[in-house]
């Protein structure tokens, strides 16, 4: 099932939104985890530092009480020594529970052994004092000091290992943060590329068929009514394409009806027009009796207008055949220079009547090209006659030909009124005039349309360059 434009946009943007939310949740979770670890490190360090200080105070208190006891032999001092020892063991137990490093636990084991050794020495000394026996006090004092020094050294090592452990945790935390940032950047880049890809695919799925339809619209404007749009697109555009095809088929039918009508009317008009022409010619020749000057002038006008009507009818018939693909061409290799010279010779009287200089400029080395002589002559006549029409008196019309890498290029240029820029795109359409002037000769607007059909049938191209008030140049190219 093909999704509609709304469904595609909704699904695409919803997916991008979900990915953005997932990214935000991931980043927020990582930052929260980092904050929790940092908080736990700070809390643990504070607790360790507090209990370590209390442990040292308890140890120093025991040392004071045991030294006073050895001198005063007061049981109260001994009891205070025991109470300080209980405090020491409590704080020591808390440090053991907070230690999460093998080195810290090893230091605590050393402290524990040294502390037990200190207690053992003092207990022996107490027993000797209670028994009233003499003993080497200096030796006992030295042993106790050695045990106390071992305890203090152990606490130093414990503190050092704790600091190193904290450093390692912070280092790992930094690495975890860097990894989280790296993952976040990778995910951001992935989501960005994914989101752009989704957007491009959705946009392309909409704009591509629209561009095809825009191109088809231009083809319709150019007279191509083939209803051949078959688009892979959203339902809305697919339905529009079907309507386009329906419209094209209707336009094609209307264009065919119009062409058939023009062909039929042209064919039906040609016979009576020929009869009128022949009748007026016979009257001018005196077959019906003598005629006066006024009658001769009227008959001459009738014959001239009849000739013009016959030319229009012939042009309509030719154009109808060309559009229907029924025009026959007799192709043979020929020299375009001969055709140009022939047209210039034929139309010189018309140009001289308007005091227009008609020139031919033919470069040497023109190759022979495969053409239908009569049809190319028709193109040349149409272009030169148009140039004469729109060129004022004392102007110049030039017919040029030059060889190209692919064949021959023929140009007809004039010094006439030129063509407005807005008319250049449609100048080769039927029933369009090349320019507008109150003094120009009347025409049907079929000459350029016929010329384009003929040149296209030869596989060539025809185009125009013009600026209003500076003349025009019509050029066609033929392949050899």
């Amino acid at each position: 099932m093909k999704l509609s434009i709304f469904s595609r946009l909704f699904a695409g943007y919803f997916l991008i939104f979900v990915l953005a939310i997932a990214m935000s949740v991931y980043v927020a979770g990582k930052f929260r985890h980092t904050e929790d670890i940092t908080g736990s490190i700070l809390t643990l360090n504070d607790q360790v530092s507090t209990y370590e200080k209390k442990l040292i105070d308890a140890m120093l208190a025991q040392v004071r009480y045991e030294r006073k006891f050895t001198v005063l032999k007061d049981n109260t001092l001994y009891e205070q020594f025991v109470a300080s020892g209980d405090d020491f063991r409590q704080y020591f137990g808390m440090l053991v529970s907070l230690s999460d490093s093998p080195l810290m636990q090893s230091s605590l084991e050393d402290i524990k052994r040294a502390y037990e050794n200190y207690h053992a020495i003092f207990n022996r000394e107490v027993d000797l004092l209670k028994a009233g026996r003499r003993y080497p006090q200096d030796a006992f004092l030295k042993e106790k000091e050695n045990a106390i020094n071992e305890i203090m050294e152990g606490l130093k090592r414990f503190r050092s290992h704790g600091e190193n452990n904290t450093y390692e945790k912070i280092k790992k935390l930094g690495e975890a943060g860097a990894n989280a940032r790296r993952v976040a950047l990778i995910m951001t880049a992935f989501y960005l590329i994914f989101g752009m890809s989704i957007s491009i695919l959705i946009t392309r799925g909409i704009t591509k068929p629209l561009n095809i339809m825009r191109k088809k619209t231009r083809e319709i404007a150019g007279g191509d009514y083939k209803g051949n749009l078959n688009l892979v697109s959203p339902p809305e555009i697919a339905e529009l394409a079907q309507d386009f095809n329906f419209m094209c088929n209707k336009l094609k039918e209307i264009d065919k009806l119009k062409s058939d009508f023009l062909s039929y009317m042209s064919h039906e008009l040609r016979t009576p027009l020929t009869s009128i022409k022949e009748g007026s010619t016979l009257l001018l020749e005196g077959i019906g009796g003598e005629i006066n000057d006024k009658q001769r002038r009227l008959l001459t006008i009738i014959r001239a207008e009849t000739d013009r009507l016959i030319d229009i009818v012939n042009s309509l018939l030719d154009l109808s055949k060309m559009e229907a693909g029924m025009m026959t061409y007799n192709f043979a290799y020929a020299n375009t220079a001969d055709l140009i010279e022939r047209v210039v010779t034929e139309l010189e009287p018309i140009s001289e009547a308007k005091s227009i200089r008609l020139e031919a400029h033919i470069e040497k080395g023109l190759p022979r090209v495969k053409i239908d002589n009569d049809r190319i002559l028709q193109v040349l006549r149409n272009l030169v006659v148009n140039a004469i029409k729109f060129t004022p008196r004392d102007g110049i019309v030039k017919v040029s030909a030059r060889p190209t890498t692919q064949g021959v290029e023929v140009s007809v240029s004039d010094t006439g009124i030129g063509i407005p820029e807005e008319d250049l795109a449609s100048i080769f359409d039927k029933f369009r005039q090349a320019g507008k002037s109150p003094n120009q000769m009347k025409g049907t607007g079929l000459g350029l349309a016929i010329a384009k059909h003929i040149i296209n049938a030869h596989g060539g191209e025809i185009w125009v360059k013009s600026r209003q008030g500076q003349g025009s140049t019509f050029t066609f190219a033929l392949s050899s």
Side-chain angles (χ1 to χ4, degrees):
M1 185 179 89
K2 293 180 180 178
L3 296 176
S4 64
I5 295 175
F6 174 79
S7 300
R8 293 184 183 201
L9 291 174
F10 179 80
Y13 291 128
F14 178 76
L15 183 58
I16 294 172
F17 176 76
V18 169
L19 292 176
I21 292 296
M23 175 65 188
S24 300
V25 170
Y26 172 80
V27 172
K30 284 295 183 182
F31 281 130
R32 180 63 181 272
H33 181 64
T34 302
E35 289 176 358
D36 292 342
I37 294 175
T38 304
S40 67
I41 291 173
L42 294 175
T43 302
L44 182 64
N45 285 348
D46 288 342
Q47 291 177 345
V48 169
S49 177
T50 299
Y51 288 121
E52 182 184 357
K53 184 177 180 182
K54 289 182 177 180
L55 185 71
I56 294 173
D57 291 341
M59 184 67 220
L60 293 176
Q62 289 183 81
V63 171
R64 287 196 302 271
Y65 291 137
E66 63 93 0
R67 289 187 179 179
K68 288 179 180 180
F69 177 79
T70 57
V71 174
L72 301 175
K73 301 178 181 62
D74 186 351
N75 288 332
T76 303
L77 294 173
Y78 182 78
E79 291 173 358
Q80 291 176 338
F81 172 82
V82 172
S84 297
D86 293 338
D87 291 339
F88 183 91
R89 292 183 184 89
Q90 179 185 354
Y91 301 142
F92 184 83
M94 296 301 298
L95 287 177
V96 171
S97 64
L98 293 174
S99 299
D100 57 355
S101 164
L103 292 175
M104 292 175 69
Q105 293 174 358
S106 176
S107 298
L108 289 175
E109 290 293 330
D110 294 339
I111 293 171
K112 182 179 179 181
R113 284 193 296 272
Y115 181 75
E116 290 175 351
N117 184 34
Y118 168 75
H119 258 261
I121 295 170
F122 179 64
N123 287 333
R124 288 200 311 271
E125 187 176 14
V126 169
D127 291 338
L128 291 172
L129 286 173
K130 287 181 178 181
R133 296 171 59 185
R134 295 177 61 83
Y135 67 93
Q137 292 184 358
D138 292 341
F140 271 84
L141 180 62
K142 187 174 182 180
E143 286 182 11
K144 287 186 290 183
E145 287 181 350
N146 290 336
I148 292 170
N149 289 335
E150 288 181 12
I151 292 171
M152 293 303 175
E153 288 296 326
L155 285 172
K156 287 181 181 179
R157 290 195 301 273
F158 176 80
R159 188 182 304 112
S160 176
H161 293 323
E163 291 174 354
N164 290 335
N165 187 42
T166 300
Y167 173 77
E168 290 297 325
K169 287 182 179 179
I170 294 174
K171 183 178 178 182
K172 290 179 180 179
L173 185 62
E175 292 175 354
N179 290 333
R181 284 194 298 273
R182 185 162 54 251
V183 171
L185 288 174
I186 292 172
M187 291 176 67
T188 301
F190 170 76
Y191 290 156
L192 182 62
I193 294 171
F194 184 76
M196 291 178 63
S197 301
I198 290 282
S199 300
I200 291 171
L201 287 174
I202 293 174
T203 305
R204 182 175 175 78
I206 297 171
T207 58
K208 185 178 180 181
L210 289 178
N211 287 333
I212 294 174
M213 293 179 70
R214 180 170 58 86
K215 183 180 178 182
K216 183 62 181 177
T217 303
R218 292 180 178 176
E219 292 177 358
I220 293 172
D224 183 2
Y225 304 126
K226 293 178 183 178
N228 55 358
L229 279 179
N230 185 17
L231 303 177
V232 179
S233 60
E236 299 94 330
I237 299 179
E239 291 175 6
L240 183 60
Q242 292 176 1
D243 294 338
F244 238 77
N245 291 334
F246 179 77
M247 178 188 69
C248 288
N249 293 330
K250 285 296 182 183
L251 287 173
K252 191 174 182 180
E253 291 176 9
I254 294 171
D255 190 63
K256 186 176 185 303
L257 287 173
K258 179 259 303 177
S259 297
D260 292 344
F261 172 77
L262 289 175
S263 179
Y264 174 77
M265 291 302 297
S266 300
H267 187 270
E268 291 299 316
L269 285 172
R270 188 157 55 175
T271 300
L273 286 173
T274 303
S275 299
I276 293 171
K277 177 183 178 181
E278 291 300 325
S280 60
T281 301
L282 290 174
L283 289 173
L284 283 171
E285 291 176 354
I287 298 299
E290 291 293 329
I291 57 175
N292 56 38
D293 291 339
K294 186 175 182 180
Q295 291 171 333
R296 184 177 298 280
R297 189 164 53 254
L298 290 173
L299 288 170
T300 301
I301 293 172
I302 290 171
R303 188 173 65 177
E305 291 300 310
T306 302
D307 286 336
R308 192 170 71 84
L309 284 173
I310 291 173
D311 288 339
I312 293 173
V313 168
N314 288 334
S315 295
L316 284 171
L317 284 172
D318 285 346
L319 187 59
S320 297
K321 289 180 181 178
M322 291 173 184
E323 289 182 339
M326 298 173 63
M327 179 65 72
T328 57
Y329 293 89
N330 298 314
F331 291 101
Y333 282 99
N335 190 344
T336 52
D338 297 336
L339 303 181
I340 293 171
E341 290 173 355
R342 178 176 170 181
V343 169
V344 170
T345 301
E346 288 177 0
L347 299 178
E348 264 186 339
I350 299 175
S351 65
E352 288 176 357
K354 286 188 64 176
S355 299
I356 294 173
R357 191 164 76 248
L358 180 59
E359 301 176 352
H361 295 267
I362 302 172
E363 295 185 14
K364 295 181 179 180
L366 288 184
R368 293 170 65 84
V369 290
K370 195 173 184 179
I371 57 175
D372 183 321
N373 279 6
D374 292 336
R375 295 304 168 192
I376 296 301
L377 280 171
Q378 187 177 1
V379 172
L380 287 169
R381 290 190 186 106
N382 286 343
L383 294 179
V384 175
V385 167
N386 272 347
I388 293 172
K389 280 184 189 179
F390 302 112
T391 301
R393 299 181 68 84
D394 300 321
I396 301 173
V397 174
K398 185 189 302 181
V399 185
S400 307
R402 68 181 186 87
T404 64
T405 55
Q406 296 180 341
V408 174
E409 192 173 278
V410 179
S411 300
V412 178
S413 58
D414 60 61
T415 57
I417 61 175
I419 302 170
E421 186 175 353
E422 61 271 17
D423 292 337
L424 288 175
S426 58
I427 196 65
F428 291 101
D429 294 346
K430 53 192 173 185
F431 306 116
R432 292 299 298 266
Q433 290 280 291
K436 295 180 180 180
S437 171
N439 300 319
Q440 74 182 55
M441 297 168 60
K442 294 180 181 180
T444 61
L446 296 176
L448 292 177
I450 291 172
K452 184 177 181 180
H453 274 285
I454 293 172
I455 296 301
N456 288 343
H458 281 72
E461 288 184 273
I462 185 169
W463 64 91
V464 61
K465 292 181 180 179
S466 180
R467 293 185 66 181
Q468 198 166 10
Q470 298 183 19
S472 306
T473 300
F474 286 84
T475 306
F476 62 88
L478 300 170
S479 300
S480 55

